[in-house]
Amino acid sequence: MKKRVCILYTGGTIGMVATDHGYAPLQGHLQRVLNAMPELRAPDMPAWDIVEFDPLLDSSDITAVEWNQMGASIRDHYGSYDGFVVLHGTDTMAYTASALAFMLEGLGKPVVLTGSQIPIGQLRSDARDNLINAILIAADGVCPEVSLYFGGRLLRGCRATKISSDELWAFDSPNCPPLATAGISLRYNVGLIRPAGRELRFHPCRTDVPIAVLKIFPGIQFRLFEGIVTESLRGMVLESFGAGNIPQYDHSLLPVVRKAAAHGAVIAVCTQCLRGSVQLGVYETSAPLQAAGAVSGYDMTVEAAVAKLYHLFSLGLESAAIRMAMETDLRGELTRPQE
Ligand code: ASP
């Protein structure tokens, strides 16, 4: 029997058309193009159906509302398909991949996000390769994770980050090798792939979790940011230098962090470096962060840290439990240093 794949089409460049105001998605357009591609109905191709979201969005407009629609759609169709492809804009694809990884606990089937840098209707489009490989990967079931296929590589969704706005090799997962590479054949990195879960549990995401991301830069005047640390701020990702370092020159960040921690906010420290991990306490410039109640994001991407905060607050956990979970590997999103 043919394997069956469900394609959730949320928007993005892949199905966009040129308008007077720039590229924009057009309802029904992608389906018409796909129906006219004989290779998508070739004998070796799995059977597929497409669920088109309405409205289709540029992924800059995707929020937790759409994450919930995607998660609920996968849950609702879970029993009828062998795998899922999510067609999505590239701009926030890594955030959505991370969010779905956390929301779909116990996943036992592939969920592959993909899209393209050039719309499918154009001659040099990368959509055909991305789409065909994503469908094949979703059907064969070898990688029952939330993953992201782009430019010949399958990456763990909660490790992926967009690294190029114009190259066809738009994504990387700098702290995790690819789960598969598509050369003459599709080669899986089997030792790295997480085992299939037994039972899918969908955790919807609260849409109103008040979190912030603060990127540190030389000369940053922390007092300008004190205003955002109100009682309603629940979480903050601090994008620090190197191994978790922050400037000490006017000692003004720590009061901000302490104030946030006193309100029960969770401060997770990530690094601005593409590769490597936060190690709080290695330098004098990071030790006080730990003392002030911040937790380490280790080698998590900022995208994963943001999605994880959304997820943990949506579970209704207390701050202390969230702090602990932020430093724990839940879906392969972080590596803790050997203790
Ligand atoms: N702005 C587009 C989006 O993220 C870019 C893309 O899909 O490549 O929807």
Side-chain angles (χ1 to χ4, degrees), residues 12-13 16 58-59 89-91 116-117:
T13 295
M16 286 191 184
D58 184 297
S59 74
T90 58
D91 289 345
S116 68
Q117 293 277 61

Side-chain angles (χ1 to χ4, degrees), residues 10-16 23 25 57-62 88-93 115-118 150 162 164-165 170-171:
T10 68
T13 295
I14 190 163
M16 286 191 184
Y23 285 116
L57 294 176
D58 184 297
S59 74
S60 309
D61 278 326
I62 290 216
H88 195 288
T90 58
D91 289 345
T92 65
M93 194 186 290
S116 68
Q117 293 277 61
I118 306 175
F150 219 92
K162 184 171 177 181
S164 175
S165 63
F171 289 89

Side-chain angles (χ1 to χ4, degrees), residues 265-332:
V266 178
I267 316 286
V269 185
C270 288
T271 173
Q272 295 177 15
C273 299
L274 263 184
R275 260 188 283 281
S277 184
V278 164
Q279 288 175 278
L280 295 180
V282 165
Y283 288 90
E284 208 178 7
T285 42
S286 72
L289 270 179
Q290 212 172 13
V295 295
S296 177
Y298 296 111
D299 57 353
M300 250 192 305
T301 60
V302 170
E303 292 90 326
V306 166
K308 195 169 176 180
L309 281 177
Y310 265 102
H311 170 64
L312 296 172
F313 279 106
S314 301
L315 293 180
L317 302 175
E318 297 293 330
S319 284
I322 295 179
R323 280 202 179 81
M324 201 186 287
M326 282 304 284
E327 293 195 332
T328 306
D329 180 21
L330 301 181
R331 306 280 192 271

Side-chain angles (χ1 to χ4, degrees), residues 64-79:
V65 172
E66 288 77 28
W67 295 345
N68 285 333
Q69 285 171 3
M70 294 175 217
S73 199
I74 291 168
R75 177 202 56 201
D76 295 345
H77 294 99
Y78 197 69

